[in-house]
Short mmCIF file of all heavy atoms in Angstrom, two decimals:
data_model
loop_
_atom_site.label_atom_id
_atom_site.label_comp_id
_atom_site.label_asym_id
_atom_site.label_seq_id
_atom_site.Cartn_x
_atom_site.Cartn_y
_atom_site.Cartn_z
N GLY A 12 -22.28 10.11 9.35
CA GLY A 12 -21.99 11.25 8.50
C GLY A 12 -21.63 10.75 7.12
O GLY A 12 -21.90 9.61 6.75
N LYS A 13 -21.02 11.61 6.35
CA LYS A 13 -20.65 11.26 4.99
C LYS A 13 -19.63 10.13 4.98
O LYS A 13 -18.67 10.14 5.75
CB LYS A 13 -20.08 12.49 4.28
CG LYS A 13 -19.65 12.21 2.85
CD LYS A 13 -19.07 13.47 2.22
CE LYS A 13 -18.60 13.17 0.79
NZ LYS A 13 -17.99 14.36 0.17
N HIS A 14 -19.85 9.17 4.10
CA HIS A 14 -18.91 8.07 3.94
C HIS A 14 -17.74 8.51 3.08
O HIS A 14 -17.92 9.12 2.04
CB HIS A 14 -19.62 6.87 3.30
CG HIS A 14 -18.71 5.78 2.87
ND1 HIS A 14 -18.63 5.33 1.58
CD2 HIS A 14 -17.79 5.07 3.56
CE1 HIS A 14 -17.73 4.37 1.50
NE2 HIS A 14 -17.20 4.20 2.68
N HIS A 15 -16.52 8.22 3.51
CA HIS A 15 -15.31 8.66 2.81
C HIS A 15 -14.62 7.48 2.13
O HIS A 15 -14.46 6.42 2.72
CB HIS A 15 -14.34 9.31 3.79
CG HIS A 15 -14.84 10.59 4.38
ND1 HIS A 15 -15.72 10.61 5.44
CD2 HIS A 15 -14.58 11.88 4.06
CE1 HIS A 15 -15.99 11.87 5.76
NE2 HIS A 15 -15.32 12.65 4.94
N GLU A 16 -14.24 7.68 0.89
CA GLU A 16 -13.49 6.68 0.12
C GLU A 16 -12.25 7.39 -0.43
O GLU A 16 -12.32 8.08 -1.44
CB GLU A 16 -14.34 6.13 -1.03
CG GLU A 16 -13.84 4.81 -1.58
CD GLU A 16 -14.29 3.63 -0.73
OE1 GLU A 16 -14.02 3.63 0.49
OE2 GLU A 16 -14.91 2.71 -1.27
N PRO A 17 -11.10 7.27 0.24
CA PRO A 17 -9.90 7.98 -0.22
C PRO A 17 -9.52 7.59 -1.64
O PRO A 17 -9.64 6.43 -2.04
CB PRO A 17 -8.82 7.52 0.76
CG PRO A 17 -9.55 6.96 1.93
CD PRO A 17 -10.84 6.42 1.41
N GLN A 18 -9.07 8.58 -2.41
CA GLN A 18 -8.63 8.32 -3.77
C GLN A 18 -7.42 7.40 -3.75
O GLN A 18 -6.50 7.59 -2.96
CB GLN A 18 -8.28 9.62 -4.48
CG GLN A 18 -7.89 9.43 -5.93
CD GLN A 18 -7.63 10.76 -6.61
OE1 GLN A 18 -7.76 11.82 -6.00
NE2 GLN A 18 -7.25 10.71 -7.87
N LEU A 19 -7.44 6.40 -4.62
CA LEU A 19 -6.33 5.46 -4.69
C LEU A 19 -5.14 6.09 -5.42
O LEU A 19 -5.32 6.81 -6.40
CB LEU A 19 -6.76 4.18 -5.40
CG LEU A 19 -7.79 3.33 -4.66
CD1 LEU A 19 -8.27 2.19 -5.53
CD2 LEU A 19 -7.21 2.80 -3.37
N PRO A 20 -3.93 5.82 -4.97
CA PRO A 20 -2.76 6.42 -5.62
C PRO A 20 -2.45 5.76 -6.95
O PRO A 20 -2.78 4.59 -7.19
CB PRO A 20 -1.63 6.16 -4.61
CG PRO A 20 -2.07 4.94 -3.86
CD PRO A 20 -3.57 5.02 -3.79
N THR A 21 -1.83 6.52 -7.82
CA THR A 21 -1.36 6.02 -9.11
C THR A 21 0.12 6.38 -9.25
O THR A 21 0.68 7.06 -8.40
CB THR A 21 -2.15 6.63 -10.27
OG1 THR A 21 -2.02 8.06 -10.23
CG2 THR A 21 -3.62 6.24 -10.18
N GLY A 22 0.74 5.94 -10.32
CA GLY A 22 2.14 6.27 -10.53
C GLY A 22 3.04 5.46 -9.62
O GLY A 22 2.85 4.25 -9.45
N LYS A 23 4.02 6.14 -8.99
CA LYS A 23 5.01 5.45 -8.17
C LYS A 23 4.93 5.91 -6.73
O LYS A 23 4.54 7.04 -6.44
CB LYS A 23 6.42 5.70 -8.72
CG LYS A 23 6.63 5.15 -10.13
CD LYS A 23 8.05 5.41 -10.60
CE LYS A 23 8.27 4.83 -12.00
NZ LYS A 23 9.66 5.08 -12.49
N ASP A 24 5.32 5.00 -5.83
CA ASP A 24 5.33 5.36 -4.42
C ASP A 24 6.58 6.15 -4.08
O ASP A 24 7.39 6.47 -4.96
CB ASP A 24 5.19 4.10 -3.54
CG ASP A 24 6.38 3.15 -3.68
OD1 ASP A 24 7.46 3.56 -4.14
OD2 ASP A 24 6.21 1.97 -3.30
N MET A 25 6.78 6.48 -2.80
CA MET A 25 7.89 7.34 -2.40
C MET A 25 9.25 6.69 -2.64
O MET A 25 10.27 7.37 -2.66
CB MET A 25 7.74 7.75 -0.93
CG MET A 25 7.87 6.63 0.06
SD MET A 25 7.66 7.21 1.77
CE MET A 25 9.00 8.37 1.92
N ASP A 26 9.28 5.37 -2.83
CA ASP A 26 10.53 4.67 -3.13
C ASP A 26 10.73 4.45 -4.62
O ASP A 26 11.69 3.79 -5.04
CB ASP A 26 10.57 3.32 -2.40
CG ASP A 26 10.68 3.49 -0.89
OD1 ASP A 26 11.44 4.39 -0.46
OD2 ASP A 26 10.02 2.75 -0.15
N GLY A 27 9.81 4.96 -5.43
CA GLY A 27 9.94 4.83 -6.87
C GLY A 27 9.37 3.56 -7.45
O GLY A 27 9.56 3.27 -8.63
N HIS A 28 8.64 2.78 -6.65
CA HIS A 28 8.03 1.55 -7.14
C HIS A 28 6.61 1.83 -7.63
O HIS A 28 5.85 2.53 -6.96
CB HIS A 28 7.99 0.49 -6.03
CG HIS A 28 9.33 0.16 -5.46
ND1 HIS A 28 9.56 0.05 -4.11
CD2 HIS A 28 10.52 -0.05 -6.07
CE1 HIS A 28 10.83 -0.23 -3.91
NE2 HIS A 28 11.43 -0.30 -5.08
N PRO A 29 6.23 1.27 -8.78
CA PRO A 29 4.87 1.51 -9.29
C PRO A 29 3.80 0.96 -8.35
O PRO A 29 3.94 -0.14 -7.81
CB PRO A 29 4.87 0.76 -10.63
CG PRO A 29 6.31 0.58 -10.99
CD PRO A 29 7.03 0.45 -9.70
N PHE A 30 2.75 1.73 -8.14
CA PHE A 30 1.63 1.25 -7.34
C PHE A 30 0.87 0.14 -8.07
O PHE A 30 0.27 -0.72 -7.44
CB PHE A 30 0.66 2.40 -7.04
CG PHE A 30 1.09 3.26 -5.89
CD1 PHE A 30 1.43 4.58 -6.10
CD2 PHE A 30 1.13 2.75 -4.60
CE1 PHE A 30 1.81 5.38 -5.03
CE2 PHE A 30 1.51 3.54 -3.53
CZ PHE A 30 1.86 4.87 -3.74
N GLY A 31 0.90 0.16 -9.39
CA GLY A 31 0.14 -0.81 -10.14
C GLY A 31 -1.33 -0.43 -10.20
O GLY A 31 -1.72 0.67 -9.82
N ARG A 32 -2.13 -1.36 -10.68
CA ARG A 32 -3.56 -1.11 -10.84
C ARG A 32 -4.27 -1.51 -9.55
O ARG A 32 -4.54 -2.69 -9.31
CB ARG A 32 -4.10 -1.89 -12.03
CG ARG A 32 -3.51 -1.44 -13.37
CD ARG A 32 -3.89 -2.39 -14.48
NE ARG A 32 -5.33 -2.52 -14.62
CZ ARG A 32 -5.93 -3.39 -15.43
NH1 ARG A 32 -5.18 -4.22 -16.16
NH2 ARG A 32 -7.24 -3.44 -15.51
N LEU A 33 -4.57 -0.53 -8.73
CA LEU A 33 -5.21 -0.78 -7.45
C LEU A 33 -6.73 -0.62 -7.57
O LEU A 33 -7.22 0.15 -8.38
CB LEU A 33 -4.69 0.20 -6.39
CG LEU A 33 -3.19 0.20 -6.13
CD1 LEU A 33 -2.84 1.23 -5.07
CD2 LEU A 33 -2.70 -1.18 -5.73
N HIS A 34 -7.44 -1.36 -6.76
CA HIS A 34 -8.87 -1.17 -6.65
C HIS A 34 -9.29 -1.56 -5.24
O HIS A 34 -8.49 -2.09 -4.46
CB HIS A 34 -9.63 -2.02 -7.69
CG HIS A 34 -9.44 -3.50 -7.54
ND1 HIS A 34 -8.32 -4.17 -7.99
CD2 HIS A 34 -10.24 -4.45 -6.97
CE1 HIS A 34 -8.42 -5.46 -7.74
NE2 HIS A 34 -9.57 -5.66 -7.11
N TYR A 35 -10.54 -1.24 -4.90
CA TYR A 35 -11.05 -1.56 -3.57
C TYR A 35 -11.71 -2.93 -3.57
O TYR A 35 -12.39 -3.31 -4.52
CB TYR A 35 -12.06 -0.52 -3.11
CG TYR A 35 -11.45 0.73 -2.54
CD1 TYR A 35 -11.49 1.93 -3.25
CD2 TYR A 35 -10.84 0.73 -1.30
CE1 TYR A 35 -10.95 3.10 -2.72
CE2 TYR A 35 -10.29 1.87 -0.76
CZ TYR A 35 -10.35 3.06 -1.48
OH TYR A 35 -9.81 4.20 -0.95
N ARG A 36 -11.51 -3.65 -2.46
CA ARG A 36 -12.19 -4.93 -2.26
C ARG A 36 -12.69 -4.98 -0.83
O ARG A 36 -12.00 -4.55 0.10
CB ARG A 36 -11.21 -6.08 -2.51
CG ARG A 36 -11.76 -7.46 -2.16
CD ARG A 36 -10.67 -8.51 -2.22
NE ARG A 36 -10.88 -9.55 -1.22
CZ ARG A 36 -9.94 -10.38 -0.78
NH1 ARG A 36 -8.70 -10.27 -1.24
NH2 ARG A 36 -10.22 -11.29 0.12
N ARG A 37 -13.90 -5.47 -0.67
CA ARG A 37 -14.48 -5.56 0.67
C ARG A 37 -13.92 -6.76 1.43
O ARG A 37 -13.78 -7.85 0.88
CB ARG A 37 -16.01 -5.66 0.60
CG ARG A 37 -16.68 -5.55 1.97
CD ARG A 37 -18.19 -5.54 1.84
NE ARG A 37 -18.65 -4.43 1.02
CZ ARG A 37 -18.78 -3.18 1.46
NH1 ARG A 37 -18.47 -2.88 2.71
NH2 ARG A 37 -19.21 -2.23 0.65
N PHE A 38 -13.61 -6.54 2.70
CA PHE A 38 -13.11 -7.60 3.56
C PHE A 38 -14.09 -7.85 4.70
O PHE A 38 -14.62 -6.91 5.29
CB PHE A 38 -11.73 -7.23 4.15
CG PHE A 38 -10.61 -7.32 3.16
CD1 PHE A 38 -10.37 -6.27 2.27
CD2 PHE A 38 -9.80 -8.43 3.11
CE1 PHE A 38 -9.34 -6.34 1.35
CE2 PHE A 38 -8.75 -8.51 2.20
CZ PHE A 38 -8.53 -7.47 1.32
N GLU A 39 -14.31 -9.12 4.99
CA GLU A 39 -15.10 -9.50 6.15
C GLU A 39 -14.16 -9.70 7.32
O GLU A 39 -13.00 -10.06 7.15
CB GLU A 39 -15.87 -10.80 5.87
CG GLU A 39 -16.82 -10.72 4.70
CD GLU A 39 -17.95 -9.74 4.96
OE1 GLU A 39 -18.35 -9.59 6.14
OE2 GLU A 39 -18.43 -9.13 3.99
N GLY A 40 -14.66 -9.43 8.51
CA GLY A 40 -13.80 -9.65 9.66
C GLY A 40 -14.35 -9.09 10.94
O GLY A 40 -15.54 -8.78 11.05
N ASP A 41 -13.48 -8.99 11.93
CA ASP A 41 -13.83 -8.50 13.25
C ASP A 41 -13.02 -7.25 13.53
O ASP A 41 -11.82 -7.17 13.20
CB ASP A 41 -13.51 -9.56 14.31
CG ASP A 41 -14.27 -10.85 14.05
OD1 ASP A 41 -15.51 -10.82 14.08
OD2 ASP A 41 -13.61 -11.88 13.82
N LEU A 42 -13.66 -6.28 14.16
CA LEU A 42 -12.96 -5.06 14.49
C LEU A 42 -11.73 -5.37 15.34
O LEU A 42 -10.61 -4.93 15.03
CB LEU A 42 -13.89 -4.10 15.23
CG LEU A 42 -13.34 -2.72 15.54
CD1 LEU A 42 -12.81 -2.03 14.30
CD2 LEU A 42 -14.39 -1.88 16.23
N PHE A 43 -11.92 -6.13 16.41
CA PHE A 43 -10.82 -6.60 17.24
C PHE A 43 -10.93 -8.12 17.35
O PHE A 43 -12.01 -8.65 17.53
CB PHE A 43 -10.87 -5.99 18.64
CG PHE A 43 -10.96 -4.49 18.65
CD1 PHE A 43 -12.04 -3.85 19.21
CD2 PHE A 43 -9.95 -3.73 18.09
CE1 PHE A 43 -12.13 -2.46 19.21
CE2 PHE A 43 -10.01 -2.36 18.09
CZ PHE A 43 -11.11 -1.70 18.65
N VAL A 44 -9.83 -8.82 17.25
CA VAL A 44 -9.82 -10.28 17.36
C VAL A 44 -9.77 -10.65 18.84
O VAL A 44 -8.82 -10.29 19.54
CB VAL A 44 -8.63 -10.89 16.61
CG1 VAL A 44 -8.57 -12.39 16.85
CG2 VAL A 44 -8.75 -10.61 15.12
N LYS A 45 -10.79 -11.33 19.30
CA LYS A 45 -10.93 -11.76 20.70
C LYS A 45 -10.80 -10.56 21.65
O LYS A 45 -10.35 -10.70 22.79
CB LYS A 45 -9.88 -12.82 21.05
CG LYS A 45 -10.04 -14.11 20.26
CD LYS A 45 -9.01 -15.14 20.66
CE LYS A 45 -9.20 -16.43 19.87
NZ LYS A 45 -8.19 -17.46 20.24
N GLY A 46 -11.20 -9.39 21.16
CA GLY A 46 -11.19 -8.19 22.00
C GLY A 46 -9.83 -7.62 22.29
O GLY A 46 -9.71 -6.66 23.07
N ARG A 47 -8.79 -8.14 21.66
CA ARG A 47 -7.43 -7.72 21.98
C ARG A 47 -6.95 -6.63 21.03
O ARG A 47 -7.27 -6.63 19.84
CB ARG A 47 -6.46 -8.91 21.93
CG ARG A 47 -6.72 -9.98 22.98
CD ARG A 47 -5.58 -10.99 23.00
NE ARG A 47 -4.32 -10.32 23.30
CZ ARG A 47 -3.14 -10.68 22.76
NH1 ARG A 47 -3.09 -11.68 21.90
NH2 ARG A 47 -2.04 -10.04 23.08
N ILE A 48 -6.16 -5.70 21.58
CA ILE A 48 -5.53 -4.63 20.80
C ILE A 48 -4.06 -4.62 21.18
O ILE A 48 -3.71 -4.48 22.36
CB ILE A 48 -6.16 -3.26 21.12
CG1 ILE A 48 -7.66 -3.28 20.83
CG2 ILE A 48 -5.48 -2.16 20.33
CD1 ILE A 48 -8.38 -2.03 21.31
N SER A 49 -3.19 -4.76 20.21
CA SER A 49 -1.76 -4.83 20.49
C SER A 49 -0.96 -4.20 19.36
O SER A 49 -1.39 -4.19 18.20
CB SER A 49 -1.32 -6.29 20.67
OG SER A 49 0.09 -6.41 20.68
N ALA A 50 0.21 -3.68 19.71
CA ALA A 50 1.12 -3.14 18.69
C ALA A 50 1.50 -4.22 17.69
O ALA A 50 1.77 -3.92 16.52
CB ALA A 50 2.37 -2.58 19.37
N HIS A 51 1.53 -5.46 18.14
CA HIS A 51 1.93 -6.57 17.27
C HIS A 51 0.87 -6.93 16.25
O HIS A 51 1.10 -7.80 15.40
CB HIS A 51 2.28 -7.79 18.11
CG HIS A 51 3.34 -7.54 19.13
ND1 HIS A 51 4.65 -7.28 18.78
CD2 HIS A 51 3.29 -7.47 20.48
CE1 HIS A 51 5.36 -7.08 19.88
NE2 HIS A 51 4.57 -7.18 20.92
N HIS A 52 -0.26 -6.27 16.29
CA HIS A 52 -1.34 -6.54 15.34
C HIS A 52 -1.28 -5.62 14.12
O HIS A 52 -2.08 -5.77 13.20
CB HIS A 52 -2.70 -6.36 16.01
CG HIS A 52 -2.97 -7.34 17.10
ND1 HIS A 52 -4.22 -7.51 17.66
CD2 HIS A 52 -2.16 -8.22 17.75
CE1 HIS A 52 -4.16 -8.44 18.61
NE2 HIS A 52 -2.91 -8.87 18.67
N VAL A 53 -0.36 -4.66 14.09
CA VAL A 53 -0.33 -3.63 13.05
C VAL A 53 0.70 -3.98 11.98
O VAL A 53 1.89 -4.08 12.27
CB VAL A 53 -0.01 -2.25 13.64
CG1 VAL A 53 -0.01 -1.18 12.54
CG2 VAL A 53 -1.02 -1.88 14.72
N GLY A 54 0.24 -4.16 10.73
CA GLY A 54 1.13 -4.41 9.61
C GLY A 54 1.12 -3.23 8.65
O GLY A 54 0.06 -2.66 8.39
N GLN A 55 2.29 -2.86 8.11
CA GLN A 55 2.36 -1.65 7.29
C GLN A 55 1.98 -1.84 5.84
O GLN A 55 1.21 -1.07 5.29
CB GLN A 55 3.77 -1.04 7.35
CG GLN A 55 3.87 0.25 6.53
CD GLN A 55 5.22 0.92 6.66
OE1 GLN A 55 6.07 0.49 7.43
NE2 GLN A 55 5.44 1.98 5.90
N GLY A 56 2.50 -2.82 5.17
CA GLY A 56 2.23 -2.96 3.75
C GLY A 56 3.13 -2.06 2.91
O GLY A 56 4.22 -1.68 3.33
N ASP A 57 2.65 -1.68 1.72
CA ASP A 57 3.49 -1.01 0.72
C ASP A 57 3.35 0.51 0.72
O ASP A 57 3.81 1.16 -0.20
CB ASP A 57 3.14 -1.53 -0.68
CG ASP A 57 3.40 -3.02 -0.83
OD1 ASP A 57 4.22 -3.56 -0.07
OD2 ASP A 57 2.76 -3.65 -1.70
N LEU A 58 2.72 1.09 1.72
CA LEU A 58 2.55 2.53 1.76
C LEU A 58 3.58 3.14 2.72
O LEU A 58 3.86 2.57 3.77
CB LEU A 58 1.13 2.87 2.23
CG LEU A 58 0.59 4.25 1.88
CD1 LEU A 58 0.40 4.38 0.37
CD2 LEU A 58 -0.73 4.51 2.59
N GLY A 59 4.11 4.31 2.34
CA GLY A 59 5.14 4.95 3.15
C GLY A 59 4.57 5.76 4.30
O GLY A 59 4.92 6.94 4.46
N ASP A 60 3.71 5.15 5.10
CA ASP A 60 3.09 5.87 6.22
C ASP A 60 3.48 5.25 7.56
O ASP A 60 2.68 5.19 8.49
CB ASP A 60 1.57 5.87 6.07
CG ASP A 60 0.95 4.48 6.12
OD1 ASP A 60 1.70 3.49 5.96
OD2 ASP A 60 -0.27 4.37 6.32
N CYS A 61 4.76 4.85 7.66
CA CYS A 61 5.23 4.26 8.92
C CYS A 61 5.05 5.23 10.08
O CYS A 61 4.84 4.83 11.22
CB CYS A 61 6.68 3.81 8.80
SG CYS A 61 7.82 5.13 8.36
N PHE A 62 5.15 6.53 9.81
CA PHE A 62 4.98 7.53 10.86
C PHE A 62 3.61 7.40 11.53
O PHE A 62 3.48 7.58 12.75
CB PHE A 62 5.15 8.94 10.30
CG PHE A 62 4.02 9.39 9.42
CD1 PHE A 62 3.00 10.18 9.93
CD2 PHE A 62 3.96 9.01 8.09
CE1 PHE A 62 1.95 10.59 9.13
CE2 PHE A 62 2.91 9.42 7.27
CZ PHE A 62 1.90 10.21 7.80
N PHE A 63 2.57 7.10 10.75
CA PHE A 63 1.23 6.97 11.31
C PHE A 63 1.03 5.60 11.95
O PHE A 63 0.55 5.51 13.09
CB PHE A 63 0.17 7.20 10.24
CG PHE A 63 -1.23 6.97 10.74
CD1 PHE A 63 -1.82 7.88 11.60
CD2 PHE A 63 -1.94 5.83 10.38
CE1 PHE A 63 -3.10 7.66 12.10
CE2 PHE A 63 -3.22 5.60 10.87
CZ PHE A 63 -3.80 6.52 11.73
#
Side-chain angles (χ1 to χ4, degrees):
K13 180 181 178 182
H14 169 238
H15 294 81
E16 199 81 305
Q18 184 177 359
L19 293 173
T21 58
K23 297 181 179 180
D24 64 19
M25 66 181 299
D26 292 320
H28 302 134
F30 279 114
R32 295 170 58 187
L33 302 179
H34 62 280
Y35 279 108
R36 173 189 147 200
R37 188 175 301 279
F38 286 82
E39 300 295 328
D41 301 298
L42 185 54
F43 307 119
V44 174
K45 296 182 179 179
R47 295 189 60 215
I48 302 172
S49 168
H51 303 292
H52 295 192
V53 181
Q55 181 176 355
D57 299 337
L58 201 67
D60 63 344
C61 58
F62 72 97
F63 175 72

